[in-house]
Amino acid sequence: MFSLLDEPWLSARTVGTVAGGGPQGGLGPVEKAGVRRLLLSADQFQDIVVDLPTQKPAIFRQLLLPIVVDALGPPADAAEWLDMFRAGAFSPQQSAVLTAYLDKHRQSFDLLDDVDPFAQVAGLHTAKGETKGSSLLVATVATGNNVPLFSSRTEGDPLPLTPAQAARWLVHTHCWDTAAIKTGVVGDPQVKAGKTTGNPVGPLGQLGVVMPVGRTIFETLLLNIPFGQAPLSDDLPQWRRRAVEGRVEDTLSCATPAWQIRPSRGLLDVWTWQARRIRLVPEVTQSGVRVQRVIVAAGDRLDTVPDHEPHTSWIVESAKSRKKQAGKPGAASAVRPRRHQPGRAAWRGLEALLAVSRVSEQREATDTRTGFHTSVLLDQLSVVREGLPPGYPLRLELTGMVYGIQSSVIEDVFFDEIPLPVAALNPDGIIFGCVLEAVAQAEKLAGAVNNLSSDLRRAAGSEPIPWDKGQRPGETLLHALDPLMRRLLVGLREVGEDFDRSEQGLEAWEEKAGRETWKVAEQVFSTAAPSLFSGRIVAKDGKERAYRLSTAERGFRDRMDAILTRRAARRKAA
């Protein structure tokens, strides 16, 4: 027996306190806790500590969030949500309801139960009784074709997992597993030659996950619960669904799981989606109970990413594109989840994250104009932003998986965290414009440096660096601007809608960004050969153009002045 409710299988950092007992926002010690303690004392913990960033959204979605919503129900509206948020902790009545819920369903959270193990299928087996190594669950360990770079472990090495480790990687597999060939199990009608093919990646692997994070786990829970969405009668978390459907459809709690392609029935269903059928095989060793063998088989498939999926922003197809694709087989959906781009800082995608609805406009009109709409969670934060404390330290954690070879291997893990001024969620406010202006300036400065490099290369008689190959100097500049942008976002938290203070922030940003841009530009100039002073004439499309060092520098200075207008005005005034 290993109860996920009571066993300390999660690590969580406590909230730092001052002498008076109030939160100071500092870092407290890391403690071990089970789900029960983590939820009932959610205001006393700052955040959970995980082995891999992608474990965090998996733990919240597969356990913490659905327990709270299924037990207490979602807030009915913005006012109820704000009342809970301002309370800062679960009320005694809410804690009593949570406790009763956990006690009622305690048996369903036993990881090693013989009859109904958590998020597994008891008795799952292959025709030959085969199992595989537990490394199949661990995304960072070599197994099959999935061989992480510089891995010191081979597939043949045993990987004994403690029950706590196995639990964390179990929920991670349900959310992020690759689309590789899965073990064929007895009773699965999709089995061919002892295996199943065509499996999609886990539900979160199809998204660019966007997760708002607060000062405590309690605040993070509320920030990730949509309000005003009454749950449907058949929208159940997987531990309750298996009790209902296991007797009728023989899908989850028996040894012959069915393989379903179906839509999500609601928020609780999609949060606890069982993308795989899994059985952990525990063994008693000298070190205690360990999991060294597992079975990972095909599970349920989502027929499409549901529009009630709260943890992603969306790309909206233009009306022209929709009309062009209309009537064609396999036509793309009007909206699709926006994936994160590896190697690209999260703040460079703020245009999509801040694509919130204006009160005075229809949602569809807003989406069509921007080409994006933000996540459900950020959209609702734009509604309640005025009820949050001034300067509230909202953070966004962005996670994603990069798959390769037909999504059968994991090539990279994306993770970034950005501070976001709550006022930026007001599309008619000053901070909204400031943030998007600064992001656009950073991109344009990178383009100006790339143009400078291209002009100098043409003057030397060579071709510019292709946009998709090699290391372009613009990427070096964006890396240098990264800490400046994050500092600006933190500073804008305290500004509110004060125009003068926001202008001061942008002036400081432009001054520092200009200095960093010149540092990178000087590196580009330092590679210039003496022949670039005279340059050369290039004929293109019947026109001749002179490329030389002087014209390249003059063009670069003009571009900088056109981008950093405040900096240019101050310099000219001085």
Side-chain angles (χ1 to χ4, degrees):
M1 177 177 177
F2 188 87
S3 173
L4 300 182
L5 301 184
D6 303 316
E7 294 286 347
W9 65 284
L10 293 171
S11 297
R13 188 175 298 280
T14 58
V15 174
T17 56
V18 293
Q24 65 174 1
L27 297 179
V30 175
E31 297 182 5
K32 297 288 187 179
V35 170
R36 186 188 300 271
R37 183 184 172 209
L38 205 62
L39 289 178
L40 297 179
S41 303
D43 58 308
Q44 299 174 22
F45 290 100
Q46 192 175 63
D47 206 351
I48 61 174
V49 180
V50 292
D51 307 314
L52 195 69
T54 44
Q55 280 186 353
K56 182 174 176 178
I59 292 169
F60 269 87
R61 287 171 61 102
Q62 288 277 326
L63 280 156
L64 305 182
L65 288 169
I67 288 175
V68 172
V69 172
D70 198 35
L72 303 178
D77 50 31
E80 184 177 332
W81 188 95
L82 277 172
D83 287 341
M84 287 185 66
F85 192 89
R86 288 166 180 156
F90 291 117
S91 67
Q93 294 79 8
Q94 291 171 330
S95 295
V97 173
L98 276 172
T99 300
Y101 180 92
L102 296 176
D103 290 341
K104 179 180 179 181
H105 299 285
R106 187 173 187 276
Q107 189 62 34
S108 299
F109 293 92
D110 187 350
L111 184 72
L112 306 179
D113 188 72
D114 294 332
V115 178
D116 190 17
F118 177 80
Q120 302 164 67
V121 178
L124 191 72
H125 65 283
T126 67
K128 297 181 180 180
E130 300 166 314
T131 60
K132 293 190 176 182
S134 58
S135 58
L136 199 62
L137 297 177
V138 184
T140 56
V141 172
T143 176
N145 292 328
N146 190 35
V147 184
L149 193 62
F150 304 127
S151 174
S152 60
R153 182 183 294 273
T154 67
E155 187 178 11
D157 295 329
L159 181 64
L161 299 176
T162 65
Q165 291 172 323
R168 294 193 293 271
W169 288 114
L170 171 68
V171 296
H172 187 273
T173 302
H174 277 299
C175 292
W176 298 100
D177 194 32
T178 65
I181 295 172
K182 303 303 170 188
T183 300
V185 293
V186 173
D188 189 340
Q190 301 296 327
V191 174
K192 292 182 181 179
K195 58 187 179 182
T196 61
T197 58
N199 304 288
V201 298
L204 294 191
Q206 304 172 42
L207 315 175
V209 176
V210 180
M211 185 172 173
V213 177
R215 297 170 295 188
T216 65
I217 288 181
F218 175 81
E219 291 185 352
T220 300
L221 287 169
L222 278 183
L223 290 171
N224 286 273
I225 296 176
F227 56 74
Q229 298 185 12
L232 302 175
S233 58
D234 63 342
D235 181 22
L236 304 171
Q238 57 89 4
W239 52 86
R240 288 183 59 199
R241 182 175 299 281
R242 67 171 64 207
V244 174
E245 295 184 346
R247 295 189 300 270
V248 179
E249 299 176 5
D250 204 33
T251 58
L252 284 169
S253 62
C254 64
T256 56
W259 187 51
Q260 302 180 71
I261 302 177
R262 63 175 179 86
S264 162
R265 294 179 172 120
L267 196 60
L268 297 174
D269 189 23
V270 76
W271 273 344
T272 61
W273 191 264
Q274 300 293 277
R276 300 291 179 261
R277 299 291 185 258
I278 302 174
R279 179 166 72 92
L280 305 179
V281 183
E283 304 174 19
V284 179
T285 69
Q286 293 180 347
S287 303
V289 176
R290 294 293 183 268
V291 175
Q292 297 190 89
R293 309 295 297 176
V294 299
I295 297 175
V296 179
D300 293 337
R301 296 188 186 186
L302 277 167
D303 62 352
T304 184
V305 178
D307 56 7
H308 54 259
E309 169 56 62
H311 284 114
T312 188
S313 55
W314 305 83
I315 296 175
V316 182
E317 297 292 347
S318 65
K320 182 179 180 180
S321 176
R322 296 183 205 180
K323 185 177 181 180
K324 187 176 181 180
Q325 295 294 329
K328 293 184 179 180
S333 172
V335 295
R336 66 181 189 276
R338 181 178 178 272
R339 303 280 297 269
H340 303 314
Q341 296 185 30
R344 184 183 175 97
W347 54 262
R348 295 176 64 185
L350 277 172
E351 181 184 8
L353 295 175
L354 297 183
V356 297
S357 303
R358 283 181 166 88
V359 176
S360 59
E361 297 180 357
Q362 294 293 324
R363 164 114 237 178
E364 185 175 351
T366 305
D367 299 341
T368 303
R369 186 185 65 251
T370 63
F372 305 103
H373 68 70
T374 192
S375 73
V376 172
L377 301 172
L378 292 184
D379 217 12
Q380 77 173 19
L381 275 176
S382 71
V383 176
V384 300
R385 65 181 184 277
E386 294 181 357
L388 298 179
Y392 181 73
L394 176 67
R395 293 178 291 128
L396 299 183
E397 289 188 358
L398 286 75
T399 49
M401 282 282 190
V402 182
Y403 302 94
I405 314 178
Q406 297 181 333
S407 299
S408 63
V409 297
I410 296 172
E411 289 189 345
D412 199 3
V413 174
F414 178 94
F415 175 73
D416 198 1
E417 177 185 275
I418 54 173
L420 183 67
V422 175
L425 295 171
N426 176 13
D428 298 313
I430 295 171
I431 304 304
F432 177 87
C434 290
V435 169
L436 292 187
E437 180 182 358
V439 171
Q441 286 176 324
E443 296 287 355
K444 290 177 181 177
L445 288 173
V449 173
N450 287 334
N451 286 337
L452 171 64
S453 172
S454 298
D455 288 348
L456 293 180
R457 290 176 68 87
R458 291 190 182 98
S462 59
E463 292 297 318
I465 301 174
W467 69 269
D468 58 343
K469 296 180 181 178
Q471 179 66 40
R472 307 178 82 199
E475 295 300 320
T476 303
L477 174 60
L478 287 169
H479 180 73
L481 294 179
D482 184 77
L484 300 181
M485 179 62 71
R486 296 174 193 274
R487 195 178 309 164
L488 174 65
L489 292 174
V490 172
L492 290 176
R493 283 176 176 171
E494 305 295 334
V495 170
E497 294 296 331
D498 189 319
F499 177 79
D500 292 335
R501 292 181 64 191
S502 65
E503 279 295 301
Q504 291 173 5
L506 287 179
E507 287 175 4
W509 147 259
E510 288 194 8
E511 196 62 41
K512 294 175 181 177
R515 288 199 294 266
E516 293 297 333
T517 303
W518 263 109
K519 287 181 183 178
V520 176
E522 286 172 351
Q523 296 174 10
V524 177
F525 282 126
S526 68
T527 62
S531 59
L532 267 64
F533 284 93
S534 56
R536 69 189 185 104
I537 305 297
V538 177
K540 185 176 182 181
D541 298 331
K543 296 181 181 180
E544 292 185 344
R545 180 176 174 181
Y547 288 94
R548 59 176 63 94
L549 183 63
S550 60
T551 56
E553 181 178 354
R554 184 174 66 250
F556 176 69
R557 288 182 180 275
D558 290 343
R559 292 188 194 104
M560 276 195 65
D561 286 347
I563 297 168
L564 304 177
T565 54
R566 297 172 183 82
R567 177 178 177 272
R570 284 185 62 183
R571 191 181 69 253
K572 291 176 181 178

